[in-house]
Amino acid sequence: MAQQRSARVGYWLAVLALGCGGPAPRSGGAPPPPPSAAPVAPALPAPVPSAAAVVQPSPQLPAEPPRVAVGRHGAVASQEANATDVALGVLQQGGNAVDAAIALGLALAVTHPSAGNLGGGGFMVIRRADGAAYALDYRETAPSAASRDMYLDAQGNLSDARLNGPKAAGIPGTVAGFAAAHAKLGKLPWRALVEPALRLARDGFTLTAEDASTLGRGAAKMRELGYAASARIYSRKDGAPLQAGDRWVQPELAKTLGLIATEPTAFYRGPLAATLAREVRRAGGLWTPADLARYEARWREPVVFDYRGHTIITMPLPSAGGVVLEQLLVASEVLGLERRAWRSADEIHLFAEAMRRTYADRNQLLGDPDFVKVPPDLLETSYIRDRMRGIELERATPSAEIQAGVAPAREESTQTTHYSVVDADGNAVANTYTLNTGFGAKFVVPGTGVLLNNEMDDFAVKPGAPNVFGLVQGEPNKIEPGKRMLSSMTPTVVVRGGRLRAVLGSPGGPTISTTVAQLVRGLVDYGQPLSVVVPALRVHHQWLPDQIWTEEQLSPALKAELERRGHVIRQRPHLGHANVIEVDAETGERRAVADTTRGEGKAAAY
Ligand code: GLY
Protein backbone atom coordinates (compact mmCIF):
# COMPACT_ATOMS: atom_id res chain seq x y z
CA MET A 1 0.00 0.00 0.00
CA ALA A 2 2.76 2.41 1.05
CA GLN A 3 4.59 1.42 -2.09
CA GLN A 4 1.49 2.17 -4.16
CA ARG A 5 1.08 5.56 -2.52
CA SER A 6 4.67 6.54 -3.13
CA ALA A 7 4.37 5.43 -6.78
CA ARG A 8 1.31 7.69 -7.09
CA VAL A 9 3.10 10.65 -5.51
CA GLY A 10 6.06 10.07 -7.84
CA TYR A 11 3.69 9.97 -10.78
CA TRP A 12 2.11 13.29 -9.87
CA LEU A 13 5.48 14.91 -9.29
CA ALA A 14 6.45 13.81 -12.77
CA VAL A 15 3.17 15.05 -14.25
CA LEU A 16 3.73 18.39 -12.58
CA ALA A 17 7.31 18.44 -13.82
CA LEU A 18 6.00 17.94 -17.35
CA GLY A 19 3.33 20.54 -16.78
CA CYS A 20 5.85 23.01 -15.42
CA GLY A 21 8.32 22.38 -18.17
CA GLY A 22 10.15 19.28 -16.90
CA PRO A 23 12.85 20.30 -19.32
CA ALA A 24 14.48 22.48 -16.91
CA PRO A 25 17.47 23.65 -18.89
CA ARG A 26 19.88 20.77 -19.04
CA SER A 27 23.06 22.50 -18.01
CA GLY A 28 23.59 25.18 -15.45
CA GLY A 29 20.26 26.87 -16.03
CA ALA A 30 21.19 28.20 -19.47
CA PRO A 31 19.19 26.85 -22.37
CA PRO A 32 21.28 24.83 -24.81
CA PRO A 33 22.10 26.47 -28.14
CA PRO A 34 19.60 25.93 -30.91
CA PRO A 35 20.30 22.70 -32.75
CA SER A 36 20.39 24.26 -36.19
CA ALA A 37 22.84 26.91 -37.24
CA ALA A 38 20.27 29.51 -38.29
CA PRO A 39 17.10 29.93 -36.29
CA VAL A 40 14.18 29.23 -38.55
CA ALA A 41 12.00 31.93 -37.29
CA PRO A 42 14.33 34.77 -36.37
CA ALA A 43 11.34 36.76 -35.13
CA LEU A 44 10.91 34.40 -32.19
CA PRO A 45 12.31 35.76 -28.93
CA ALA A 46 14.31 33.50 -26.63
CA PRO A 47 12.13 31.17 -24.58
CA VAL A 48 10.91 32.69 -21.34
CA PRO A 49 8.66 31.10 -18.74
CA SER A 50 5.14 31.99 -19.77
CA ALA A 51 2.46 33.00 -17.31
CA ALA A 52 0.38 30.18 -18.69
CA ALA A 53 3.17 27.64 -18.54
CA VAL A 54 2.08 25.92 -15.37
CA VAL A 55 -0.58 23.37 -16.18
CA GLN A 56 -2.22 22.15 -13.04
CA PRO A 57 -3.80 18.72 -13.06
CA SER A 58 -7.49 19.22 -13.73
CA PRO A 59 -10.34 17.02 -12.54
CA GLN A 60 -10.31 15.32 -15.94
CA LEU A 61 -6.83 13.93 -15.39
CA PRO A 62 -6.80 10.35 -14.24
CA ALA A 63 -7.23 9.65 -10.56
CA GLU A 64 -4.73 6.84 -11.00
CA PRO A 65 -1.74 6.68 -13.31
CA PRO A 66 -1.84 3.97 -15.96
CA ARG A 67 -0.47 0.72 -14.57
CA VAL A 68 3.03 -0.05 -15.79
CA ALA A 69 3.68 -3.73 -16.46
CA VAL A 70 7.36 -4.44 -15.90
CA GLY A 71 9.28 -7.46 -17.13
CA ARG A 72 12.68 -8.59 -18.36
CA HIS A 73 11.48 -10.80 -21.21
CA GLY A 74 8.36 -10.02 -23.18
CA ALA A 75 5.86 -7.15 -23.00
CA VAL A 76 2.53 -6.33 -24.63
CA ALA A 77 0.17 -3.35 -24.54
CA SER A 78 -3.17 -3.31 -26.33
CA GLN A 79 -6.66 -1.88 -26.04
CA GLU A 80 -8.28 -5.14 -24.87
CA ALA A 81 -7.36 -7.52 -22.05
CA ASN A 82 -8.15 -10.89 -23.72
CA ALA A 83 -6.09 -9.92 -26.75
CA THR A 84 -3.14 -8.85 -24.58
CA ASP A 85 -3.35 -12.20 -22.75
CA VAL A 86 -3.32 -14.06 -26.08
CA ALA A 87 -0.14 -12.26 -27.15
CA LEU A 88 1.54 -12.81 -23.79
CA GLY A 89 0.69 -16.53 -24.02
CA VAL A 90 2.25 -16.74 -27.49
CA LEU A 91 5.44 -15.10 -26.20
CA GLN A 92 5.58 -17.46 -23.22
CA GLN A 93 5.14 -20.46 -25.53
CA GLY A 94 8.29 -19.42 -27.43
CA GLY A 95 6.70 -17.31 -30.15
CA ASN A 96 8.50 -14.16 -31.19
CA ALA A 97 7.11 -10.59 -31.26
CA VAL A 98 5.80 -11.02 -34.81
CA ASP A 99 3.92 -14.21 -33.84
CA ALA A 100 2.46 -12.46 -30.81
CA ALA A 101 1.46 -9.40 -32.85
CA ILE A 102 -0.36 -11.58 -35.40
CA ALA A 103 -2.21 -13.57 -32.72
CA LEU A 104 -3.09 -10.31 -30.95
CA GLY A 105 -4.43 -8.72 -34.13
CA LEU A 106 -6.59 -11.75 -34.89
CA ALA A 107 -7.88 -11.82 -31.31
CA LEU A 108 -8.82 -8.13 -31.46
CA ALA A 109 -10.93 -8.90 -34.55
CA VAL A 110 -13.05 -10.98 -32.15
CA THR A 111 -12.87 -9.05 -28.88
CA HIS A 112 -12.64 -5.43 -30.09
CA PRO A 113 -14.62 -5.43 -33.33
CA SER A 114 -15.15 -1.68 -33.50
CA ALA A 115 -11.57 -1.48 -34.77
CA GLY A 116 -9.90 -4.91 -34.60
CA ASN A 117 -10.62 -6.64 -37.85
CA LEU A 118 -10.31 -9.16 -40.64
CA GLY A 119 -12.19 -6.83 -42.99
CA GLY A 120 -9.89 -3.81 -42.76
CA GLY A 121 -6.21 -3.06 -43.06
CA GLY A 122 -3.22 -1.38 -41.49
CA PHE A 123 0.50 -1.06 -41.09
CA MET A 124 3.16 -2.90 -39.10
CA VAL A 125 6.66 -1.68 -38.24
CA ILE A 126 9.04 -4.38 -37.08
CA ARG A 127 12.52 -3.99 -35.66
CA ARG A 128 14.44 -7.19 -35.17
CA ALA A 129 16.85 -7.49 -32.28
CA ASP A 130 19.74 -7.53 -34.79
CA GLY A 131 18.71 -4.03 -35.94
CA ALA A 132 16.98 -4.99 -39.21
CA ALA A 133 13.86 -2.85 -39.74
CA TYR A 134 10.76 -3.63 -41.81
CA ALA A 135 7.59 -1.78 -42.77
CA LEU A 136 4.61 -3.85 -43.85
CA ASP A 137 1.78 -2.14 -45.74
CA TYR A 138 -1.47 -4.07 -45.61
CA ARG A 139 -3.69 -1.10 -46.37
CA GLU A 140 -6.94 -1.70 -48.25
CA THR A 141 -7.10 -1.02 -52.01
CA ALA A 142 -9.89 0.52 -54.07
CA PRO A 143 -11.91 -2.11 -55.99
CA SER A 144 -11.30 -2.26 -59.75
CA ALA A 145 -14.72 -0.74 -60.43
CA ALA A 146 -14.00 2.29 -58.22
CA SER A 147 -13.77 5.72 -59.81
CA ARG A 148 -12.86 9.25 -58.81
CA ASP A 149 -16.40 10.56 -58.42
CA MET A 150 -18.15 7.38 -57.29
CA TYR A 151 -19.55 9.04 -54.16
CA LEU A 152 -20.87 12.20 -55.92
CA ASP A 153 -24.38 12.66 -57.28
CA ALA A 154 -25.23 14.63 -60.41
CA GLN A 155 -25.18 17.87 -58.38
CA GLY A 156 -21.75 17.03 -56.97
CA ASN A 157 -23.08 16.25 -53.48
CA LEU A 158 -21.27 13.62 -51.44
CA SER A 159 -23.25 10.48 -50.72
CA ASP A 160 -23.39 8.62 -47.43
CA ALA A 161 -22.28 5.46 -49.27
CA ARG A 162 -18.66 6.56 -48.72
CA LEU A 163 -19.13 5.78 -45.01
CA ASN A 164 -21.95 3.29 -44.56
CA GLY A 165 -22.65 0.02 -46.31
CA PRO A 166 -20.56 -2.24 -48.54
CA LYS A 167 -19.80 0.40 -51.16
CA ALA A 168 -17.63 2.14 -48.53
CA ALA A 169 -15.30 -0.84 -48.24
CA GLY A 170 -11.88 -1.18 -49.78
CA ILE A 171 -10.41 -4.64 -50.44
CA PRO A 172 -9.17 -5.75 -46.99
CA GLY A 173 -5.49 -6.30 -46.27
CA THR A 174 -5.38 -7.61 -42.70
CA VAL A 175 -5.28 -11.35 -43.37
CA ALA A 176 -2.77 -10.96 -46.23
CA GLY A 177 -0.65 -8.66 -44.07
CA PHE A 178 -0.51 -11.02 -41.11
CA ALA A 179 0.25 -13.95 -43.44
CA ALA A 180 3.08 -11.98 -45.07
CA ALA A 181 4.55 -11.06 -41.67
CA HIS A 182 4.36 -14.68 -40.59
CA ALA A 183 5.92 -16.04 -43.79
CA LYS A 184 8.91 -13.69 -43.51
CA LEU A 185 9.52 -13.38 -39.77
CA GLY A 186 7.22 -15.71 -37.82
CA LYS A 187 8.40 -18.67 -35.77
CA LEU A 188 5.39 -20.65 -34.51
CA PRO A 189 3.04 -22.46 -36.93
CA TRP A 190 0.40 -20.17 -38.46
CA ARG A 191 -2.46 -22.25 -37.07
CA ALA A 192 -1.20 -21.75 -33.51
CA LEU A 193 -1.57 -17.99 -34.01
CA VAL A 194 -5.14 -18.19 -35.31
CA GLU A 195 -6.43 -20.69 -32.75
CA PRO A 196 -6.68 -18.34 -29.75
CA ALA A 197 -8.90 -15.98 -31.79
CA LEU A 198 -10.93 -18.89 -33.06
CA ARG A 199 -11.53 -20.09 -29.49
CA LEU A 200 -12.58 -16.60 -28.38
CA ALA A 201 -15.10 -16.43 -31.23
CA ARG A 202 -16.40 -20.00 -30.83
CA ASP A 203 -16.46 -20.30 -27.03
CA GLY A 204 -17.05 -16.63 -26.32
CA PHE A 205 -15.64 -14.27 -23.74
CA THR A 206 -17.13 -12.18 -20.95
CA LEU A 207 -17.98 -8.58 -21.81
CA THR A 208 -16.87 -5.63 -19.72
CA ALA A 209 -19.13 -2.62 -19.28
CA GLU A 210 -17.16 -0.71 -21.92
CA ASP A 211 -17.37 -3.65 -24.37
CA ALA A 212 -21.14 -3.85 -23.88
CA SER A 213 -21.66 -0.14 -24.31
CA THR A 214 -19.49 0.01 -27.48
CA LEU A 215 -21.24 -3.02 -28.99
CA GLY A 216 -24.62 -1.54 -28.09
CA ARG A 217 -23.79 1.70 -29.92
CA GLY A 218 -22.54 -0.23 -32.95
CA ALA A 219 -25.64 -2.43 -33.10
CA ALA A 220 -27.95 0.60 -32.79
CA LYS A 221 -26.21 2.33 -35.69
CA MET A 222 -26.44 -0.84 -37.83
CA ARG A 223 -30.15 -1.11 -37.11
CA GLU A 224 -30.67 2.56 -37.95
CA LEU A 225 -28.98 1.97 -41.33
CA GLY A 226 -31.19 -1.05 -42.02
CA TYR A 227 -28.50 -3.71 -41.48
CA ALA A 228 -30.59 -5.76 -39.04
CA ALA A 229 -28.72 -9.03 -39.69
CA SER A 230 -25.41 -7.31 -38.86
CA ALA A 231 -26.93 -5.75 -35.72
CA ARG A 232 -28.10 -9.19 -34.49
CA ILE A 233 -24.46 -10.34 -34.24
CA TYR A 234 -23.70 -7.53 -31.79
CA SER A 235 -26.86 -8.06 -29.70
CA ARG A 236 -28.33 -10.65 -27.36
CA LYS A 237 -30.23 -13.53 -28.99
CA ASP A 238 -33.53 -11.73 -28.31
CA GLY A 239 -32.21 -8.56 -29.96
CA ALA A 240 -31.71 -6.71 -26.67
CA PRO A 241 -28.40 -4.91 -26.12
CA LEU A 242 -25.53 -7.00 -24.75
CA GLN A 243 -24.69 -6.31 -21.10
CA ALA A 244 -21.57 -6.38 -18.96
CA GLY A 245 -21.01 -9.95 -17.78
CA ASP A 246 -22.63 -11.54 -20.88
CA ARG A 247 -20.66 -14.29 -22.56
CA TRP A 248 -20.58 -13.28 -26.24
CA VAL A 249 -20.04 -15.87 -28.99
CA GLN A 250 -19.61 -15.28 -32.75
CA PRO A 251 -20.06 -18.65 -34.52
CA GLU A 252 -19.87 -17.33 -38.09
CA LEU A 253 -16.64 -15.47 -37.38
CA ALA A 254 -15.31 -18.67 -35.73
CA LYS A 255 -16.06 -20.56 -38.96
CA THR A 256 -14.20 -17.97 -41.03
CA LEU A 257 -11.24 -18.09 -38.63
CA GLY A 258 -11.26 -21.90 -38.98
CA LEU A 259 -10.84 -21.55 -42.76
CA ILE A 260 -8.09 -18.96 -42.30
CA ALA A 261 -6.33 -21.18 -39.74
CA THR A 262 -5.99 -23.86 -42.41
CA GLU A 263 -4.88 -21.46 -45.11
CA PRO A 264 -4.77 -17.64 -44.95
CA THR A 265 -5.30 -17.36 -48.71
CA ALA A 266 -8.83 -18.68 -48.08
CA PHE A 267 -9.80 -15.06 -47.48
CA TYR A 268 -8.74 -14.14 -51.02
CA ARG A 269 -9.36 -17.26 -53.14
CA GLY A 270 -11.86 -20.11 -53.00
CA PRO A 271 -15.33 -20.46 -51.47
CA LEU A 272 -14.95 -17.90 -48.64
CA ALA A 273 -13.60 -15.29 -51.05
CA ALA A 274 -16.43 -16.06 -53.50
CA THR A 275 -18.99 -15.54 -50.71
CA LEU A 276 -17.38 -12.26 -49.66
CA ALA A 277 -17.40 -10.85 -53.20
CA ARG A 278 -20.89 -12.13 -54.03
CA GLU A 279 -22.53 -10.84 -50.84
CA VAL A 280 -20.80 -7.47 -51.01
CA ARG A 281 -22.04 -6.99 -54.58
CA ARG A 282 -25.52 -8.25 -53.71
CA ALA A 283 -25.71 -5.51 -51.06
CA GLY A 284 -24.57 -2.78 -53.45
CA GLY A 285 -20.76 -2.95 -53.12
CA LEU A 286 -18.17 -3.28 -55.87
CA TRP A 287 -15.88 -6.19 -54.92
CA THR A 288 -15.12 -8.90 -57.47
CA PRO A 289 -13.39 -12.25 -56.90
CA ALA A 290 -10.52 -10.88 -59.02
CA ASP A 291 -10.13 -7.86 -56.69
CA LEU A 292 -9.68 -10.20 -53.74
CA ALA A 293 -7.38 -12.59 -55.63
CA ARG A 294 -5.22 -9.66 -56.74
CA TYR A 295 -4.73 -8.18 -53.25
CA GLU A 296 -1.12 -8.17 -51.98
CA ALA A 297 0.43 -6.83 -48.80
CA ARG A 298 3.61 -4.89 -49.59
CA TRP A 299 6.96 -4.68 -47.81
CA ARG A 300 8.15 -1.08 -47.99
CA GLU A 301 11.32 0.74 -46.98
CA PRO A 302 10.63 2.18 -43.53
CA VAL A 303 11.08 5.89 -42.90
CA VAL A 304 14.21 6.08 -40.70
CA PHE A 305 15.63 9.33 -39.32
CA ASP A 306 17.55 10.74 -36.37
CA TYR A 307 15.88 12.90 -33.79
CA ARG A 308 18.04 14.38 -31.04
CA GLY A 309 20.23 11.34 -30.50
CA HIS A 310 17.50 8.79 -31.23
CA THR A 311 16.71 6.81 -34.36
CA ILE A 312 13.05 6.83 -35.32
CA ILE A 313 11.75 3.95 -37.47
CA THR A 314 8.26 4.52 -38.81
CA MET A 315 5.78 3.92 -41.61
CA PRO A 316 6.25 5.25 -45.15
CA LEU A 317 3.56 6.04 -47.71
CA PRO A 318 0.78 5.15 -48.31
CA SER A 319 0.56 6.09 -44.68
CA ALA A 320 1.34 9.76 -44.37
CA GLY A 321 2.19 9.00 -40.74
CA GLY A 322 5.96 8.70 -41.16
CA VAL A 323 6.27 11.77 -43.40
CA VAL A 324 4.20 13.86 -40.98
CA LEU A 325 6.11 12.53 -37.95
CA GLU A 326 9.49 13.32 -39.50
CA GLN A 327 8.40 16.77 -40.69
CA LEU A 328 6.95 17.56 -37.27
CA LEU A 329 9.97 16.40 -35.31
CA VAL A 330 12.42 18.20 -37.62
CA ALA A 331 10.22 21.31 -37.30
CA SER A 332 10.20 20.92 -33.49
CA GLU A 333 14.00 20.79 -33.48
CA VAL A 334 14.31 23.71 -35.86
CA LEU A 335 11.96 25.76 -33.66
CA GLY A 336 13.85 24.78 -30.50
CA LEU A 337 10.66 23.43 -28.94
CA GLU A 338 12.57 21.34 -26.41
CA ARG A 339 13.49 24.63 -24.68
CA ARG A 340 9.87 25.63 -24.16
CA ALA A 341 8.01 24.38 -21.11
CA TRP A 342 5.97 21.29 -21.98
CA ARG A 343 2.32 22.18 -22.56
CA SER A 344 3.00 25.86 -22.00
CA ALA A 345 1.15 28.30 -24.25
CA ASP A 346 4.36 28.97 -26.19
CA GLU A 347 5.08 25.30 -26.76
CA ILE A 348 1.54 24.39 -27.79
CA HIS A 349 1.25 27.46 -30.02
CA LEU A 350 4.52 26.75 -31.85
CA PHE A 351 3.76 23.05 -32.16
CA ALA A 352 0.31 23.92 -33.57
CA GLU A 353 1.95 26.20 -36.14
CA ALA A 354 4.26 23.34 -37.15
CA MET A 355 1.29 20.92 -37.35
CA ARG A 356 -0.68 23.41 -39.46
CA ARG A 357 2.08 23.62 -42.07
CA THR A 358 2.87 19.91 -42.00
CA TYR A 359 -0.76 18.98 -42.58
CA ALA A 360 -1.09 21.46 -45.45
CA ASP A 361 1.62 19.41 -47.18
CA ARG A 362 0.16 16.08 -46.14
CA ASN A 363 -3.30 16.86 -47.42
CA GLN A 364 -2.31 18.35 -50.75
CA LEU A 365 0.82 16.51 -51.80
CA LEU A 366 0.68 12.93 -50.55
CA GLY A 367 -0.91 9.81 -51.97
CA ASP A 368 -0.20 6.15 -52.74
CA PRO A 369 3.42 6.14 -54.02
CA ASP A 370 2.50 3.44 -56.53
CA PHE A 371 0.24 6.00 -58.22
CA VAL A 372 1.59 9.48 -57.53
CA LYS A 373 4.98 11.12 -57.52
CA VAL A 374 5.55 12.75 -54.16
CA PRO A 375 7.89 15.80 -54.15
CA PRO A 376 11.29 14.42 -53.14
CA ASP A 377 12.45 17.22 -50.83
CA LEU A 378 9.55 17.16 -48.34
CA LEU A 379 11.80 15.65 -45.69
CA GLU A 380 14.83 17.91 -46.30
CA THR A 381 15.66 20.00 -43.23
CA SER A 382 16.18 23.05 -45.44
CA TYR A 383 12.68 22.65 -46.90
CA ILE A 384 11.11 22.22 -43.46
CA ARG A 385 13.04 25.21 -42.14
CA ASP A 386 11.66 27.32 -44.99
CA ARG A 387 8.14 26.08 -44.25
CA MET A 388 8.49 27.26 -40.62
CA ARG A 389 9.59 30.79 -41.59
CA GLY A 390 7.05 33.42 -40.76
CA ILE A 391 5.83 31.76 -37.58
CA GLU A 392 5.12 34.40 -34.94
CA LEU A 393 5.08 33.74 -31.21
CA GLU A 394 2.10 35.94 -30.41
CA ARG A 395 -0.14 35.31 -33.42
CA ALA A 396 -1.61 32.17 -34.96
CA THR A 397 -1.20 32.14 -38.74
CA PRO A 398 -4.67 31.72 -40.26
CA SER A 399 -4.62 28.51 -42.33
CA ALA A 400 -6.16 30.51 -45.19
CA GLU A 401 -2.83 32.36 -45.44
CA ILE A 402 -1.07 29.06 -46.01
CA GLN A 403 -3.60 27.53 -48.36
CA ALA A 404 -7.08 28.58 -49.33
CA GLY A 405 -10.10 26.67 -48.11
CA VAL A 406 -12.37 26.11 -45.17
CA ALA A 407 -13.84 22.92 -43.93
CA PRO A 408 -16.21 21.99 -41.16
CA ALA A 409 -15.28 18.74 -39.44
CA ARG A 410 -17.92 16.20 -38.52
CA GLU A 411 -17.88 14.54 -35.12
CA GLU A 412 -17.07 10.88 -35.69
CA SER A 413 -15.44 8.26 -33.59
CA THR A 414 -11.94 7.48 -34.76
CA GLN A 415 -11.82 3.80 -34.02
CA THR A 416 -8.47 2.60 -35.15
CA THR A 417 -6.45 0.54 -32.67
CA HIS A 418 -2.75 0.30 -31.94
CA TYR A 419 -0.73 -2.29 -30.04
CA SER A 420 2.92 -2.85 -29.22
CA VAL A 421 4.88 -6.06 -28.57
CA VAL A 422 8.47 -6.76 -27.49
CA ASP A 423 9.80 -10.30 -27.08
CA ALA A 424 12.53 -11.75 -24.87
CA ASP A 425 15.15 -11.38 -27.63
CA GLY A 426 14.33 -7.70 -28.12
CA ASN A 427 12.37 -8.01 -31.39
CA ALA A 428 9.72 -5.29 -31.50
CA VAL A 429 6.44 -4.83 -33.36
CA ALA A 430 4.32 -1.68 -33.59
CA ASN A 431 1.01 -2.42 -35.29
CA THR A 432 -1.85 -0.04 -36.10
CA TYR A 433 -4.87 -1.31 -38.01
CA THR A 434 -8.43 -0.24 -38.55
CA LEU A 435 -11.84 -0.36 -40.14
CA ASN A 436 -11.64 3.47 -40.30
CA THR A 437 -14.54 4.83 -38.18
CA GLY A 438 -16.10 2.74 -35.39
CA PHE A 439 -17.49 -0.54 -36.80
CA GLY A 440 -16.39 0.62 -40.29
CA ALA A 441 -19.17 0.27 -42.87
CA LYS A 442 -21.47 -1.18 -40.14
CA PHE A 443 -22.12 -4.09 -42.47
CA VAL A 444 -21.17 -7.71 -41.78
CA VAL A 445 -20.88 -9.92 -44.87
CA PRO A 446 -23.69 -12.47 -44.35
CA GLY A 447 -22.51 -15.91 -43.24
CA THR A 448 -18.90 -14.84 -42.60
CA GLY A 449 -18.85 -12.65 -39.48
CA VAL A 450 -16.55 -10.30 -41.42
CA LEU A 451 -17.33 -6.66 -40.60
CA LEU A 452 -16.37 -4.37 -43.49
CA ASN A 453 -14.18 -1.29 -43.40
CA ASN A 454 -15.30 2.13 -44.65
CA GLU A 455 -11.80 3.09 -45.62
CA MET A 456 -12.80 4.52 -49.03
CA ASP A 457 -13.54 7.79 -47.20
CA ASP A 458 -9.80 8.13 -46.52
CA PHE A 459 -9.43 8.95 -50.23
CA ALA A 460 -10.11 12.52 -51.30
CA VAL A 461 -13.68 11.48 -52.14
CA LYS A 462 -14.32 15.00 -53.40
CA PRO A 463 -10.93 16.73 -53.73
CA GLY A 464 -11.05 20.00 -51.84
CA ALA A 465 -13.99 18.95 -49.61
CA PRO A 466 -13.52 17.59 -46.08
CA ASN A 467 -13.74 13.88 -45.34
CA VAL A 468 -15.19 12.46 -42.12
CA PHE A 469 -12.14 13.66 -40.17
CA GLY A 470 -12.39 17.16 -41.67
CA LEU A 471 -9.28 16.46 -43.76
CA VAL A 472 -9.29 18.51 -46.94
CA GLN A 473 -7.21 16.48 -49.36
CA GLY A 474 -6.22 16.87 -52.99
CA GLU A 475 -5.82 15.12 -56.33
CA PRO A 476 -2.83 12.94 -55.34
CA ASN A 477 -5.22 11.05 -53.07
CA LYS A 478 -8.16 10.82 -55.51
CA ILE A 479 -9.86 7.45 -55.97
CA GLU A 480 -8.33 5.18 -58.62
CA PRO A 481 -8.85 1.43 -59.10
CA GLY A 482 -6.34 -0.66 -57.15
CA LYS A 483 -4.96 2.38 -55.30
CA ARG A 484 -4.34 2.57 -51.55
CA MET A 485 -6.01 5.45 -49.73
CA LEU A 486 -3.73 7.79 -47.77
CA SER A 487 -3.56 7.03 -44.07
CA SER A 488 -2.28 8.69 -40.91
CA MET A 489 -1.36 5.50 -39.06
CA THR A 490 2.08 5.83 -37.50
CA PRO A 491 3.39 2.63 -35.89
CA THR A 492 6.84 3.65 -34.70
CA VAL A 493 9.93 2.18 -33.05
CA VAL A 494 12.48 4.36 -31.24
CA VAL A 495 16.11 3.24 -30.91
CA ARG A 496 18.91 4.83 -28.92
CA GLY A 497 22.57 3.91 -29.30
CA GLY A 498 21.58 0.89 -31.37
CA ARG A 499 19.28 -0.39 -28.59
CA LEU A 500 15.53 -0.60 -28.57
CA ARG A 501 14.08 2.32 -26.58
CA ALA A 502 10.32 2.40 -27.26
CA VAL A 503 7.48 1.00 -29.34
CA LEU A 504 4.77 3.59 -30.05
CA GLY A 505 1.53 4.30 -31.87
CA SER A 506 -2.06 5.42 -31.44
CA PRO A 507 -5.47 5.39 -33.08
CA GLY A 508 -7.25 8.66 -33.84
CA GLY A 509 -7.47 9.32 -37.60
CA PRO A 510 -5.39 12.39 -38.45
CA THR A 511 -4.52 12.88 -34.78
CA ILE A 512 -2.41 9.70 -34.90
CA SER A 513 0.79 11.19 -36.28
CA THR A 514 0.59 14.28 -34.09
CA THR A 515 -0.02 12.08 -31.02
CA VAL A 516 3.02 9.94 -31.86
CA ALA A 517 5.12 13.10 -32.33
CA GLN A 518 4.08 14.21 -28.82
CA LEU A 519 4.94 10.80 -27.37
CA VAL A 520 8.41 10.98 -28.94
CA ARG A 521 8.88 14.55 -27.73
CA GLY A 522 7.79 13.72 -24.18
CA LEU A 523 10.26 10.85 -24.11
CA VAL A 524 13.17 12.51 -25.91
CA ASP A 525 12.83 16.28 -25.33
CA TYR A 526 11.57 16.12 -21.76
CA GLY A 527 13.14 12.87 -20.60
CA GLN A 528 9.89 11.61 -19.08
CA PRO A 529 8.82 7.97 -18.77
CA LEU A 530 5.97 6.87 -21.01
CA SER A 531 3.77 6.29 -17.95
CA VAL A 532 3.82 10.09 -17.59
CA VAL A 533 3.89 11.03 -21.27
CA VAL A 534 0.93 8.81 -22.22
CA PRO A 535 -1.69 10.43 -19.93
CA ALA A 536 -0.41 13.97 -20.53
CA LEU A 537 -2.52 16.51 -22.45
CA ARG A 538 -2.52 16.08 -26.26
CA VAL A 539 -3.07 18.70 -28.94
CA HIS A 540 -3.69 18.46 -32.67
CA HIS A 541 -3.85 20.79 -35.67
CA GLN A 542 -4.41 19.60 -39.23
CA TRP A 543 -4.35 22.88 -41.21
CA LEU A 544 -8.08 22.66 -41.98
CA PRO A 545 -10.33 23.16 -40.17
CA ASP A 546 -8.29 25.98 -38.68
CA GLN A 547 -8.43 24.97 -35.03
CA ILE A 548 -6.50 23.19 -32.30
CA TRP A 549 -8.17 20.01 -31.16
CA THR A 550 -7.34 19.14 -27.61
CA GLU A 551 -8.66 17.28 -24.61
CA GLU A 552 -10.94 18.25 -21.75
CA GLN A 553 -7.97 18.38 -19.38
CA LEU A 554 -6.76 21.65 -21.01
CA SER A 555 -6.80 24.27 -18.26
CA PRO A 556 -9.02 27.36 -18.72
CA ALA A 557 -5.97 29.64 -18.35
CA LEU A 558 -4.08 27.88 -21.12
CA LYS A 559 -7.18 27.86 -23.34
CA ALA A 560 -7.63 31.61 -22.85
CA GLU A 561 -3.98 32.31 -23.66
CA LEU A 562 -4.08 30.26 -26.87
CA GLU A 563 -7.32 31.99 -27.89
CA ARG A 564 -5.68 35.36 -27.26
CA ARG A 565 -3.05 34.41 -29.85
CA GLY A 566 -5.78 33.70 -32.39
CA HIS A 567 -6.33 29.95 -32.08
CA VAL A 568 -9.76 28.40 -32.14
CA ILE A 569 -9.84 25.66 -29.51
CA ARG A 570 -12.02 22.60 -29.81
CA GLN A 571 -12.00 20.18 -26.85
CA ARG A 572 -12.83 16.49 -26.96
CA PRO A 573 -12.81 14.02 -24.08
CA HIS A 574 -9.75 12.24 -25.50
CA LEU A 575 -7.32 12.17 -28.40
CA GLY A 576 -5.93 8.71 -29.15
CA HIS A 577 -5.37 5.54 -27.14
CA ALA A 578 -1.62 4.94 -27.11
CA ASN A 579 -0.58 1.43 -26.08
CA VAL A 580 3.17 1.57 -25.86
CA ILE A 581 6.28 -0.09 -24.49
CA GLU A 582 9.40 1.57 -23.15
CA VAL A 583 12.67 -0.31 -22.82
CA ASP A 584 15.39 0.76 -20.41
CA ALA A 585 18.37 1.14 -22.72
CA GLU A 586 20.77 0.11 -19.93
CA THR A 587 19.03 -2.78 -18.20
CA GLY A 588 16.72 -3.90 -20.99
CA GLU A 589 13.76 -3.80 -18.60
CA ARG A 590 10.47 -3.61 -20.52
CA ARG A 591 7.72 -1.28 -19.25
CA ALA A 592 4.42 -1.66 -21.03
CA VAL A 593 1.75 1.03 -20.67
CA ALA A 594 -1.83 0.80 -21.92
CA ASP A 595 -3.64 4.13 -22.30
CA THR A 596 -6.16 3.28 -19.59
CA THR A 597 -6.75 6.91 -18.72
CA ARG A 598 -8.56 7.17 -22.08
CA GLY A 599 -10.41 3.85 -22.09
CA GLU A 600 -9.89 0.17 -21.43
CA GLY A 601 -6.71 -1.67 -22.23
CA LYS A 602 -4.15 -3.96 -20.71
CA ALA A 603 -0.39 -3.93 -20.42
CA ALA A 604 1.40 -7.14 -19.48
CA ALA A 605 4.98 -8.25 -19.16
CA TYR A 606 6.98 -11.15 -17.77
N1 GLY B 1 -8.55 5.48 -41.28
C1 GLY B 1 -7.73 6.44 -40.69
C2 GLY B 1 -6.36 6.46 -41.24
O1 GLY B 1 -5.93 5.49 -41.83
O2 GLY B 1 -5.69 7.45 -41.13
Side-chain angles (χ1 to χ4, degrees), residues 252-331:
E252 288 180 341
L253 185 56
K255 207 170 108 204
T256 294
L257 284 163
L259 295 171
I260 290 169
T262 305
E263 177 52 64
T265 54
F267 195 89
Y268 298 95
R269 291 190 187 90
L272 171 60
T275 303
L276 290 170
R278 186 185 64 243
E279 294 299 327
V280 163
R281 272 206 319 283
R282 197 203 298 275
L286 301 181
W287 296 8
T288 64
D291 288 333
L292 283 162
R294 202 178 294 129
Y295 184 86
E296 269 179 13
R298 299 252 161 92
W299 292 98
R300 309 233 180 226
E301 274 302 304
V303 170
V304 181
F305 62 98
D306 290 331
Y307 179 62
R308 307 191 68 236
H310 295 68
T311 304
I312 312 293
I313 304 165
T314 188
M315 198 65 215
L317 293 167
S319 178
V323 174
V324 169
L325 181 64
E326 182 167 354
Q327 281 199 333
L328 261 180
L329 290 177
V330 172

Side-chain angles (χ1 to χ4, degrees), residues 200-218:
L200 284 162
R202 185 193 58 210
D203 305 339
F205 65 98
T206 305
L207 298 178
T208 65
E210 188 172 310
D211 292 336
S213 127
T214 306
L215 292 170
R217 280 199 305 276

Side-chain angles (χ1 to χ4, degrees), residues 123 139 362 416 434-437 455 458 469 486-489 509-510 512:
F123 301 97
R139 183 69 158 166
R362 178 219 183 270
T416 299
T434 190
L435 293 166
N436 195 23
T437 60
E455 217 72 68
D458 270 352
F469 300 120
L486 194 63
S487 170
S488 295
M489 289 186 268
I512 295 173

